Amino acid sequence: GIDVASTDRVVMISTGVGVGPCIGAIEMALEDSFRPPIDLIASYRSQDEVVYGDILDSMQQSHPSKFAWKSIITELDGRLSANEDNLRLVFESNFDASVERTHFHLIGNAALVGEMKAGLEEGGVPPSKISIESYFNHGAELNQESIRRISNAVASMKVAAAIE
């Protein structure tokens, strides 16, 4: 679970239909005034595969101070971990919270989940601030360059926060 006392922001990262379970969790969190704000980054292969966009748009419009979402279309943008611009979606937010006080929930393709988890941990995010749900592709080899890129993104956000 999420330690609400030590968390100022939740980042949910989903792939494909992994967005479905996120919606239920987000709905419950929005009903609880003590829950921190949530950023959802939903990754889809193509624009045609985007599901629940209208529901997520409505939730964002109804709760602008508690919920925001963005999508990554991999056939256009590349994988979430493909470049620094994509990774900025994870670390930049309208919700004010340091990386250290952010909880990351990763749900979806085991390759992305594994790379994100490894990169976050390598960048200094404590394992207690990362929760995962992974399905299919468990045998995929993790891309070490993606892990390094994620780790570097975490480190750059820590430096930026220290400067501010």
Side-chain angles (χ1 to χ4, degrees), residues 24-37:
I26 293 164
E27 287 173 333
M28 289 178 62
L30 291 175
E31 292 175 7
D32 183 347
S33 62
F34 297 104
R35 291 284 180 175

Side-chain angles (χ1 to χ4, degrees), residues 9-16 18-19 22-23 26 37-45 47 50-61 64 66-74 77-78 80 84-96 102 104 112 157:
R9 174 181 174 230
V10 174
V11 174
M12 298 179 116
I13 299 173
S14 69
T15 62
V19 72
C22 291
I23 289 175
I26 293 164
I38 299 168
D39 279 304
L40 169 66
I41 295 89
S43 178
Y44 304 95
R45 276 185 281 199
Q47 188 66 42
V50 174
V51 293
Y52 304 119
D54 53 343
I55 292 169
L56 293 166
D57 287 342
S58 176
M59 290 168 67
Q60 180 172 275
Q61 289 168 359
K66 295 286 284 180
F67 175 67
W69 87 285
K70 303 164 194 118
S71 65
I72 289 278
I73 309 299
T74 58
D77 306 314
L80 180 58
E84 286 77 14
D85 288 338
N86 288 356
L87 286 169
R88 270 192 210 98
L89 294 175
V90 175
F91 298 104
E92 292 181 356
S93 174
N94 293 332
F95 308 128
D96 189 25
T102 299
F104 297 88
L112 174 92
M157 291 308 295

